Amino acid sequence: MKRFFGTVARGLRSPIINEGDDLLTIVPQLLKEAGDSGQLLFQDRDVLCITESIVGRSQGNYASIEDIAADVREKFGTERIKSLGLVYPIMSRNRFAILLKALSLAAEEIVLLLSYPSDEVGNAIFDPDLIHKSTVNPWQDVLDEKTLRENFGPCLHPFTGIDYLQFYRDTIEESGAKAKLIFANNPEAILKYTNQVIACDIHTRKITKHRLIEAGAGQVLDLTEILNEKSSEHGYNQEYGLLGSNKADEDRVKLFPRDCQALVDALAQELYEMTGKHIEVMIYGDGAFKDPVGKIWELADPVVSPAHTPGLRGKPNEIKIKYLADSEFHGLSSEEQASKIMESIKHKDDDLIGKMQSEGTTPRQYTDLLGSMADLVSGSGDKGTPFVYIQGYFDSYADN
């Protein structure tokens, strides 16, 4: 029978997962029901993607803002930090606002250093095109809030309509701390105001922390160093701390899940025993893609996938079909082109990096590609599909 479909990704509807729920029981049962319904036929190298959110929820990996504040006070060795600098947080109600609320409980004053015109993941404070119409040099100039607004006008997020500068100022002050906002693309600018600092950026945190230490900061943490120690009193993540956390309610965060590798390995074994097929399993968070309109780079988690089975390691090694059709096999009939391309795929080199046949395929990690696909399929709203089942991803045009 002719095969019509290649890669297929389907969101799998799930019961609501709560603290204490056993995913090793729930997930296989859910897939069994899907298989028994006739809507899913299991194949080797299918991929089951599980959102990090329900893993963290099942683990009960939560912490309160007081838990966070207490850990910060302990790490800085004082009951209340006189002035605490927060460098390069992203602008997010879900991701950082709740952390800002917690951190403000630990200090008398918060000095918030924001990059401009946008944060690390592309959330714009103002329209970046306005930079070219001003006399401001974003690589050198340190601005206060008044100067920034005078030069660039209203600071409304293009999607949410939120004025994050006012929102963050209100969050700090409502928590009982004084607020000072400054804007610079040089992290050392914070040291004019305080030498006790938390680097709040995600993917650039190591270099930010290094630069601050080299510049003479008294004490510098990053978000991975808060709630990163095992505790029976609240959630924690030994590797990522507060990174990857989300707002749970007005006074709690759900932390990035921990101990994930044991879960994916156990699930893969359960699914093999149930189906007789080698099904890959991965846990995924934010995908890594950039919105062409808002310029927002989605990845606000420290990694796309904190854990995955061994078969998902590596990168694609693929031939660019349209390149071969337009070049080497140009002028042949469609049927002849198809036959030649299939043969090329079957006999391709084990490593195509740098070869013209692969030009434009941009090989990235399987987990980043699959995680981004799963994140787009599952969404973060009312879909109700925290599991995504992907089939045919590892097949090629040459496979029947």
Side-chain angles (χ1 to χ4, degrees), residues 7 57 61 131 168 208 215 263 281 294 296 320-321 346 366:
T7 301
R57 293 184 73 195
N61 204 19
I131 287 280
Y168 278 3
T208 297
L263 174 62
V281 182
I296 298 168
K320 194 78 165 181
I321 290 178
K346 290 176 181 177
Y366 284 129

Side-chain angles (χ1 to χ4, degrees), residues 8 37 59 72 75 83 88 123 130 160 168 176 178 203 236 285 300-302 304 318 329 345 348 353 360 366 382:
V8 176
S37 74
Q59 292 175 341
V72 171
K75 296 281 171 62
S83 182
Y88 295 159
N123 293 293
L130 296 176
T160 66
Y168 278 3
K178 296 178 182 178
H203 309 290
Y236 63 94
D301 285 321
V304 173
E318 298 178 344
F329 305 132
I345 292 172
K348 65 187 176 183
I353 292 178
Y366 284 129
D382 57 8

Side-chain angles (χ1 to χ4, degrees), residues 153-167:
C155 299
L156 302 179
H157 191 280
F159 288 163
T160 66
I162 298 292
D163 182 332
Y164 274 95
L165 309 187
Q166 188 61 51
F167 179 53

Side-chain angles (χ1 to χ4, degrees), residues 127-372:
D127 183 350
D129 288 340
L130 296 176
I131 287 280
H132 306 294
K133 301 174 183 178
S134 75
T135 59
V136 172
N137 182 340
W139 305 113
Q140 295 182 357
D141 293 346
V142 179
L143 310 178
D144 58 22
E145 185 177 356
K146 181 174 181 292
T147 303
L148 182 115
R149 290 187 184 276
E150 286 175 348
N151 276 273
F152 304 112
C155 299
L156 302 179
H157 191 280
F159 288 163
T160 66
I162 298 292
D163 182 332
Y164 274 95
L165 309 187
Q166 188 61 51
F167 179 53
Y168 278 3
R169 175 178 289 280
D170 291 344
T171 299
I172 295 167
E173 292 175 346
E174 288 167 5
S175 298
K178 296 178 182 178
K180 183 185 294 292
L181 276 62
I182 58 173
F183 305 85
N185 292 311
N186 177 356
E188 292 97 316
I190 194 74
L191 300 180
K192 178 180 176 182
Y193 303 89
T194 179
N195 69 349
Q196 293 186 295
V197 183
I198 299 176
C200 298
D201 41 350
I202 305 164
H203 309 290
T204 55
R205 64 187 183 275
K206 291 182 180 179
I207 186 63
T208 297
K209 184 177 178 181
H210 175 74
R211 288 178 64 177
L212 289 165
I213 292 171
E214 288 291 303
Q219 188 172 0
V220 186
L221 301 178
D222 64 50
L223 292 180
T224 67
E225 298 172 279
I226 303 170
L227 295 192
N228 64 331
E229 297 170 357
K230 188 173 182 178
S231 172
S232 59
E233 298 178 0
H234 52 71
Y236 63 94
N237 189 301
Q238 291 163 308
E239 185 173 4
Y240 296 117
L242 291 180
L243 278 188
S245 62
N246 284 270
K247 179 180 179 180
D249 56 37
E250 295 305 317
D251 296 303
R252 290 188 309 156
V253 297
K254 178 192 63 59
L255 301 173
F256 211 48
R258 59 180 187 263
D259 306 322
C260 295
Q261 192 60 48
L263 174 62
V264 298
D265 290 341
L267 275 173
Q269 182 61 35
E270 287 284 330
L271 294 177
Y272 177 73
E273 292 173 3
M274 183 181 81
T275 67
K277 303 295 183 181
H278 292 280
I279 297 172
E280 306 289 353
V281 182
M282 67 178 287
I283 296 170
Y284 70 97
D286 272 350
F289 45 85
K290 186 172 182 177
D291 179 83
V293 176
K295 313 301 181 187
I296 298 168
W297 183 45
E298 177 72 5
L299 185 56
D301 285 321
V303 291
V304 173
S305 176
H308 44 272
T309 47
L312 297 180
R313 295 172 188 157
K315 303 175 183 179
N317 184 55
E318 298 178 344
I319 284 175
K320 194 78 165 181
I321 290 178
K322 64 184 181 182
Y323 171 77
L324 293 180
D326 285 340
S327 59
E328 189 172 342
F329 305 132
H330 177 69
L332 300 180
S333 69
S334 178
E335 292 79 8
E336 289 173 321
Q337 285 181 323
S339 177
K340 293 285 188 182
I341 288 170
M342 287 181 186
E343 284 302 308
S344 296
I345 292 172
K346 290 176 181 177
H347 298 99
K348 65 187 176 183
D349 294 341
D350 292 335
D351 186 356
L352 290 170
I353 292 178
K355 306 289 179 61
M356 290 301 293
Q357 299 101 308
S358 67
E359 185 178 31
T361 57
T362 316
R364 289 171 282 178
Q365 297 292 334
Y366 284 129
T367 50
D368 292 341
L369 293 163
L370 286 162
S372 298

Side-chain angles (χ1 to χ4, degrees), residues 44-59:
D44 284 323
R45 299 218 76 186
D46 289 353
V47 184
L48 173 64
C49 305
I50 305 172
T51 182
E52 58 82 20
S53 177
I54 63 165
V55 180
R57 293 184 73 195
S58 69
Q59 292 175 341

